Amino acid sequence: MRLPPEKLQRVIINTDAKNEADDQYAIVQALLTPCFDLHGIIPAHFGAIKSKTSLKDSADEVHKILDLMDLTGQVRVADGALGPIPDAQTPAPSAGAEMIIREAMKDDPRPLHIAFLGPLTDMASAILMEPRIVNRNVRVIWIGGGHYPHGGREYNLSNDIAGANLVFGSGIEVWQIPMTVYRMMAVGYAELYERVYDKGPIGKYLVEQLIDWNTRMVAGPIEHRSLGDSPAIGVMMYPECGKWEYRPGPEFNDLMSYVPNGMNRPARVYETVDVRFIQEDFFAKLSRFARGIREFARFDG
């Protein structure tokens, strides 16, 4: 499945990979998507409540996934910030933010898609470090934000409200996949055992780490998990794989409510996603990978 360069989507993945147990599925799907020109992966922090070393935890998880897929050294990995931006005028500099700037400023007619599976810290920092990128051909795909129209507490947003406000207020293009949509991505243990577990070391790990996370972190009986970060991969492959509409770009107050200000650029907000398309694409790619069919994204770096 070899595609010419002009047919490839330029992609960066920014991931709080060890926050829960679903980033891992999105990362693997991105790595196995031949239409992606993957410029790199940026491990991201996920606050200090769950871990005092959240950035390191995410970085270790990214490298573990690459190791399990025999891709160590083939994919560029650049750490993001240790924590949220201090304020709306001050970036949290990082190698990840520098990667974003470098790729955004390249002379390439293809849009650069930057998928954020956690907080928007590194995008906000990149904008503060190099404001010209808001006028480049860049699309920010964000898994985050509460339900519309009111909003409310949502974990990815909670880890950098100032960063989210800066990004939405910057004028850059944003595709938002809010909590009401990413929760649609549930799969059961039985399906994961049948479709993922026996697909080599990475398949076994994906299932075991998910069940371990649920066992430790979820109160009460459970045998499912929402693969809530995977819609970011789906909409980059197929932008119409869900119902969406433009909404006024909001501000977020301290309660994480949406506060339209009439000034921000409208955001493309997804109201649904095609769960079948996204999940079946992942299952099929993982199965082919386990059979030795090596169809990867094109790795830049």
Side-chain angles (χ1 to χ4, degrees), residues 23-103:
D23 285 71
Q24 293 85 343
Y25 289 77
I27 294 167
V28 171
Q29 190 170 8
L31 292 167
L32 297 179
T33 294
C35 72
F36 284 0
D37 185 358
L38 185 62
H39 295 301
I41 300 175
I42 302 173
H45 76 92
F46 49 93
I49 295 175
K50 294 180 181 178
S51 171
K52 301 300 183 184
T53 58
S54 65
L55 174 63
K56 181 181 184 301
D57 298 343
S58 290
D60 289 347
E61 189 73 353
V62 168
H63 288 292
K64 184 178 184 69
I65 290 168
L66 294 174
D67 181 61
L68 289 169
M69 298 178 72
D70 292 326
L71 290 173
T72 296
Q74 297 185 47
V75 181
R76 187 187 304 163
V77 179
D79 285 357
L82 285 168
I85 61 171
D87 54 61
Q89 290 77 43
T90 309
S94 68
E98 291 171 0
M99 174 192 286
I100 291 171
I101 294 167
R102 181 171 59 251
E103 298 302 331

Side-chain angles (χ1 to χ4, degrees), residues 107-186:
D107 289 327
D108 194 315
R110 301 170 298 163
L112 173 64
H113 298 74
I114 312 173
F116 286 84
L117 313 182
L120 285 166
T121 302
D122 298 314
M123 192 70 237
S125 295
I127 291 169
L128 288 169
M129 293 161 65
E130 177 48 90
R132 291 180 296 168
I133 65 176
V134 303
N135 297 316
R136 305 294 289 180
N137 196 1
V138 175
R139 291 172 180 162
V140 174
I141 295 91
W142 181 43
I143 301 286
H147 62 87
Y148 274 87
H150 303 297
R153 180 168 177 79
E154 191 276 327
Y155 193 79
N156 289 344
L157 173 59
S158 74
N159 283 321
D160 198 342
I161 298 173
N165 276 329
L166 192 145
V167 172
F168 274 81
S170 70
I172 206 162
E173 184 176 1
V174 177
W175 296 4
Q176 182 187 1
I177 302 168
M179 180 170 60
T180 43
V181 178
Y182 68 68
R183 284 181 170 176
M184 295 178 179
M185 297 293 298

Side-chain angles (χ1 to χ4, degrees), residues 29 234-235 237-238 241 274-282:
Q29 190 170 8
V235 303
M237 287 192 292
Y238 175 34
C241 82
D274 187 338
V275 177
R276 188 217 66 84
F277 167 72
I278 297 168
Q279 291 187 350
E280 289 294 336
D281 178 81
F282 167 74

Side-chain angles (χ1 to χ4, degrees), residues 2 4 94 107 160 215 244 258 294:
R2 297 182 182 275
S94 68
D107 289 327
D160 198 342
T215 301
W244 58 270
Y258 296 116
R294 295 305 195 246

Side-chain angles (χ1 to χ4, degrees), residues 196-212:
V196 177
Y197 187 79
D198 62 348
K199 302 303 186 291
I202 186 62
K204 182 174 184 288
Y205 177 70
L206 287 174
V207 177
E208 289 182 345
Q209 62 88 32
L210 183 149
I211 293 174
D212 173 71

